Amino acid sequence: TILAWMGLEINTMAIIPLMAQQHHPRATEATTKYFLTQATAAAMILFASTMNAWTMGDWNINQISHPLATTTVTLALALKIGLAPMHFWLPEVLQGLNLTTGLVLSTWQKLAPFALILQISQNTNPALLTTLGVMSALVGGWGGLNQTQLRKLLAYSSIAHLGWMIIILQFMPALTLLNLTIYITMTSTMFLSLKIMASTKINSLALAWPKTPTLTTLIMLSLLSLGGLPPLTGFMPKWLILQELAKQDLPITATIMAMSALLSLFFYLR
């Protein structure tokens, strides 16, 4: 557990200079917000594992078995990656960064907490994971509706995708990994394309068609794929997850997830 905590702290410390390199009040604000949330989450993990060691006598993160400790660790990791209802920092932070650092934050920074979530997912309360998943999918759908800033849009898309990953974690961790891989690939495509076009608002995309038709087409396809439109890659993990949820006798959960995907798709289509 100490190693896990240390790894997460180094992970945070390494990206702080990248975030603060633009000497701009917004970048500084984003960096401070990010640092505070990540430090809080790491402290919660340390607290929970100490509590587990005190009650169960075991320091190993795979063996966290005390219900309060597992819940605390799960919530701390959810805060780290920005799952609803601990998602409030993510759109703000992403909006204050440039596209390159935003890319690192949306992809690479998710790997370490996810590795830990995968390890403790079997001991975690299933109701907690389901609640986090459904809430994130809904918040990701609703939150993105009235956004015109592309970075905020991508932040809400990130929240929604994380919701899909968390909801299936307890039943099929392999599907979570598949979803994470596809999400990272598509998000990287989006951020890099936007970086080439140097656009951060939706209306600048509307004017991009005469200048770079190929790139604009690519962005459109990536967005639709992120939304999960059937012939595209992004539809596959959503389809498999809904199928698995139906198999696990969770029709209501599956329906809510599908509806939230429709919300997301609406703002991607714009």
Side-chain angles (χ1 to χ4, degrees):
T1 310
I2 302 286
L3 276 175
W5 168 79
M6 206 159 64
L8 290 169
E9 283 289 20
I10 293 170
N11 189 19
T12 306
M13 287 303 174
I15 198 177
I16 292 289
L18 284 175
M19 295 167 81
Q21 67 185 355
Q22 293 172 300
H23 297 297
H24 188 280
R26 265 213 194 116
T28 318
E29 185 191 352
T31 311
T32 314
K33 280 180 183 168
Y34 183 75
F35 175 73
L36 289 174
T37 47
Q38 299 299 311
T40 309
M44 277 169 71
I45 292 169
L46 206 52
F47 167 67
S49 50
T50 313
M51 189 163 60
N52 186 69
W54 190 32
T55 46
M56 302 294 183
D58 200 343
W59 275 106
N60 194 339
I61 199 156
N62 298 340
Q63 260 71 57
I64 288 190
S65 45
H66 192 274
L68 193 56
T70 45
T71 307
T72 312
V73 171
T74 310
L75 288 174
L77 289 166
L79 174 65
K80 246 187 178 337
I81 52 177
L83 278 164
M86 284 82 72
H87 65 281
F88 293 101
W89 60 272
L90 186 60
E92 303 290 325
V93 167
L94 207 56
Q95 183 58 35
L97 303 178
N98 62 8
L99 289 166
T100 322
T101 322
L103 168 68
V104 176
L105 186 73
S106 307
T107 55
W108 180 252
Q109 294 295 102
K110 302 261 187 279
L111 296 178
F114 245 104
L116 294 177
I117 290 179
L118 276 167
Q119 284 177 46
I120 62 162
S121 62
Q122 300 315 314
N123 305 335
T124 311
N125 180 2
L128 174 69
L129 288 176
T130 310
T131 313
L132 284 173
V134 170
M135 276 190 75
S136 299
L138 286 170
V139 164
W142 283 120
L145 285 179
N146 55 356
Q147 295 298 335
T148 55
Q149 297 284 349
L150 289 169
R151 283 166 297 186
K152 277 199 177 164
L153 241 156
L154 285 165
Y156 281 110
S157 122
S158 167
I159 295 167
H161 278 271
L162 291 171
W164 281 89
M165 290 174 219
I166 289 292
I167 195 107
I168 201 65
L169 191 56
Q170 51 204 343
F171 309 121
M172 273 187 86
L175 262 184
T176 299
L177 281 176
L178 172 77
N179 201 337
L180 183 64
T181 314
I182 289 178
Y183 162 75
I184 285 180
T185 314
M186 294 190 302
T187 307
S188 307
T189 312
M190 272 310 298
F191 269 103
L192 293 170
S193 312
L194 292 173
K195 189 182 175 222
I196 294 171
M197 290 170 63
S199 53
T200 54
K201 287 196 177 68
I202 285 188
N203 53 12
S204 65
L205 279 187
L207 307 170
W209 178 251
K211 287 182 279 186
T212 48
T214 327
L215 200 55
T216 315
T217 315
L218 181 72
I219 287 184
M220 187 186 79
L221 284 171
S222 320
L223 273 173
L224 292 180
S225 188
L226 271 170
L229 207 62
L232 301 162
T233 320
F235 174 62
M236 177 178 61
K238 286 192 165 63
W239 183 30
L240 293 169
I241 287 172
L242 288 173
Q243 187 185 351
E244 187 60 33
L245 285 174
K247 270 190 206 161
Q248 297 285 350
D249 274 347
L250 294 168
I252 298 165
T253 313
T255 314
I256 296 174
M257 293 303 279
M259 290 304 170
S260 74
L262 282 177
L263 277 174
S264 298
L265 197 58
F266 174 75
F267 72 73
Y268 287 128
L269 280 170
R270 269 199 332 192

